């Protein structure tokens, strides 16, 4: 999601390491001195760009996150939110962790591995329905407000950020790596919708407009609708620029409730406070607050404004940036990351 943001945790770690090296070079390193190998080269561990996966990650099976109520009440409703566990991709694991379930045809990955990952996800979602025809339909997502009606024969290169279908045996797949995935089902007519809501799509009311189309074009009744909001970057990690607050305030009366100011800590100052001593009076820090947006809540508000009952809206409340060992995150992995997929379909 291309909005302004503050320095990442990874950048802070690299900066701390650089200061450690600088101080060590002049004999100010705490703890034991650096050892030398026989060639006189410093023995250092290679930099780790992200946390490695948990033990046994390479043996993990694909286990999508699901909505318990949907599983219990609507056994015909195929759905799930993928994690990064259980795949065969290895390009996004520089720290030595196991393979990933990257579900996007990203430039860095082997597309044959992505095909295998997608088959694993379909198998985990469809289960016994695999004996029947199952078609995974995705879009070329462009951070737009375009909503497409799709079916099993829809073109693979169709552009847009939301899909509607009334065909059984079709899995709608939305790819994300911080943006908000929203899945909606008309439980009476078995009409489905899937939305990719970044900040641009959210500003354009893509979810609200999609519910409107379900009502106008298919006759969906509000009492029959249920929705799920999957893993996405949380307000805790989604720092944005002031101009985005102005944009949201121009569109939504509840916009002030979506933003909060956060006084971020500075790990470098915390570790080396003496380097930043000045003549300023105590408490006069120049570390100002950053502005954080609650994008999942913004989309929940759109569902409510569209008329979906609050009791029928289910939120995962899982921050992708806080848990890079479980999810792909564009922010946490500094843009070099795979893609999650959220899917919904009707069993034949």
């Amino acid at each position: 999601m291309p909005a302004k943001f503050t320095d990442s945790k990874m950048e802070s770690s690299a900066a701390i390491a650089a200061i450690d090296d600088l101080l060590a070079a002049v004999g100010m390193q705490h703890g034991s001195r650096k050892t030398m190998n026989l060639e006189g080269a410093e023995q250092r561990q290679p930099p780790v760009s992200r946390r490695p996966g948990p033990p046994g990650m390479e043996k993990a099976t694909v286990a999508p996150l699901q909505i318990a109520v949907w599983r219990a009440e609507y056994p015909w409703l195929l759905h799930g939110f993928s994690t990064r566990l259980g795949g065969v991709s290895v390009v996004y694991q520089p720290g030595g962790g196991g393979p990933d379930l990257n579900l996007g045809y990203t430039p860095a990955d082997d597309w044959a591995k992505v095909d295998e990952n997608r088959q694993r996800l379909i198998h985990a979602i469809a289960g016994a329905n695999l004996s029947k025809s199952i078609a995974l339909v995705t879009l070329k997502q462009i951070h737009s407000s375009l909503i497409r009606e799709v079916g099993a024969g829809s073109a693979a290169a169709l552009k847009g950020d939301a899909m509607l279908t009334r065909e059984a045996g079709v899995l709608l797949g939305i790819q994300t790596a911080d943006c908000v995935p929203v899945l909606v089902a008309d439980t009476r007519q078995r009409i489905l919708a899937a939305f990719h809501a970044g900040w641009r799509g959210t500003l354009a009311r893509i979810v609200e407009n999609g519910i409107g189309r379900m009502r106008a074009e298919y006759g969906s009744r509000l009492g029959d609708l249920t929705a799920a909001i999957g893993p996405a970057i949380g307000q805790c990690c989604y720092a944005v620029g002031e101009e985005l607050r102005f944009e949201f305030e121009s569109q939504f009366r509840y916009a002030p409730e979506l933003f909060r100011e956060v006084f971020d800590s500075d790990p470098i100052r915390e570790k080396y406070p003496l380097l930043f001593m000045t003549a300023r009076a105590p408490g006069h820090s120049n570390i100002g607050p950053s502005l954080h947006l609650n994008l999942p809540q913004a989309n929940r508000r759109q569902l409510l404004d569209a008329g979906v009952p609050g009791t029928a809206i289910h939120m995962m409340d899982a921050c992708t940036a806080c848990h890079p060992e479980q999810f792909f995150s564009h922010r946490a992995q500094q843009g070099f990351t795979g893609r999650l997929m959220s899917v919904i379909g009707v069993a034949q």
Side-chain angles (χ1 to χ4, degrees):
M1 294 180 291
K4 290 186 178 179
F5 57 94
T6 57
D7 291 342
S8 69
K9 297 177 182 177
M10 300 307 304
E11 290 170 331
S12 296
S13 298
I16 290 175
I19 293 176
D20 285 341
D21 292 343
L22 179 62
L23 295 180
V26 294
M28 296 178 63
Q29 182 181 22
H30 291 288
S32 60
R33 291 179 294 178
K34 292 181 289 187
T35 60
M36 309 295 287
N37 63 19
L38 294 179
E39 299 297 326
E42 296 173 359
Q43 295 179 333
R44 297 183 182 177
Q45 293 295 320
V48 177
S49 59
R50 62 173 296 277
R51 285 182 284 175
M57 183 177 180
E58 68 281 356
K59 300 178 182 178
T61 57
V62 177
L65 304 177
Q66 295 187 308
I67 305 300
V69 173
W70 284 9
R71 291 186 62 181
E73 297 185 7
Y74 314 114
W76 51 266
L77 183 57
L78 307 177
H79 75 283
F81 301 94
S82 77
T83 68
R84 66 184 298 170
L85 309 180
V88 296
S89 297
V90 294
V91 67
Y92 298 116
Q93 288 285 355
D100 282 323
L101 188 72
N102 171 36
L103 296 159
Y105 292 117
T106 54
D109 206 353
D110 179 344
W111 287 13
K113 289 184 175 3
V114 177
D115 287 337
E116 171 62 22
N117 290 338
R118 288 189 173 196
Q119 287 302 312
R120 291 187 179 200
L121 178 67
I122 292 171
H123 187 278
I125 295 291
N129 294 281
L130 280 177
S131 59
K132 302 174 183 177
S133 176
I134 297 289
L136 174 64
V137 179
T138 61
L139 296 172
K140 183 178 180 181
Q141 297 171 187
I142 54 175
H143 292 277
S144 68
S145 59
L146 290 175
I147 302 171
R148 304 288 194 179
E149 182 175 1
V150 301
S154 296
L158 200 63
K159 294 181 179 180
D161 289 275
M163 291 176 282
L164 304 175
T165 192
R166 44 189 164 184
E167 289 187 24
V170 173
L171 283 178
L172 306 180
I174 290 295
Q175 300 174 67
T176 59
D178 278 343
C179 292
V180 182
V182 181
L183 306 179
V184 179
D186 177 335
T187 58
R188 177 175 62 92
Q189 300 188 87
R190 299 191 179 184
I191 295 170
L192 309 177
F195 303 89
H196 165 246
W199 68 263
R200 288 185 177 87
T202 302
L203 262 177
R205 300 175 187 266
I206 189 169
V207 170
E208 195 170 345
N209 292 337
I211 299 298
R213 282 191 58 175
M214 293 179 72
R215 298 183 64 190
E217 297 179 22
Y218 308 123
S220 293
R221 302 183 305 201
L222 293 175
D224 297 324
L225 298 182
T226 182
I229 298 175
I233 192 167
Q235 188 173 35
C236 50
C237 297
Y238 193 28
V240 299
E242 188 69 32
E243 69 280 2
L244 208 56
R245 173 154 61 182
F246 297 150
E247 292 274 6
F248 272 77
E249 287 179 346
S250 72
Q251 294 294 322
F252 308 105
R253 69 184 185 282
Y254 52 80
E257 302 172 24
L258 302 177
F259 292 87
R260 66 184 174 93
E261 293 184 342
V262 176
F263 284 84
D264 295 321
S265 61
D266 187 330
I268 299 176
R269 290 173 181 261
E270 290 174 0
K271 185 169 185 180
Y272 297 106
L274 296 181
L275 295 179
F276 298 90
M277 287 190 66
T278 68
R280 287 187 174 190
H284 287 69
S285 169
N286 59 0
I287 303 177
S290 59
L291 192 63
H292 287 228
L293 170 61
N294 192 334
L295 203 57
Q297 186 61 221
N299 284 279
R300 181 178 181 274
R301 292 298 297 263
Q302 286 196 29
L303 288 167
L304 290 171
D305 280 0
V308 179
T311 54
I313 301 174
H314 309 280
M315 298 186 70
M316 283 289 181
D317 286 328
C319 175
T320 48
C322 282
H323 303 285
E325 74 286 350
Q326 186 176 10
F327 304 110
F328 292 116
S329 169
H330 189 273
R331 286 282 178 104
Q333 286 121 38
Q334 301 183 16
F336 185 70
T337 191
R339 296 296 184 270
L340 305 168
M341 188 176 286
S342 304
V343 299
I344 188 168
V346 173
Q348 290 187 314

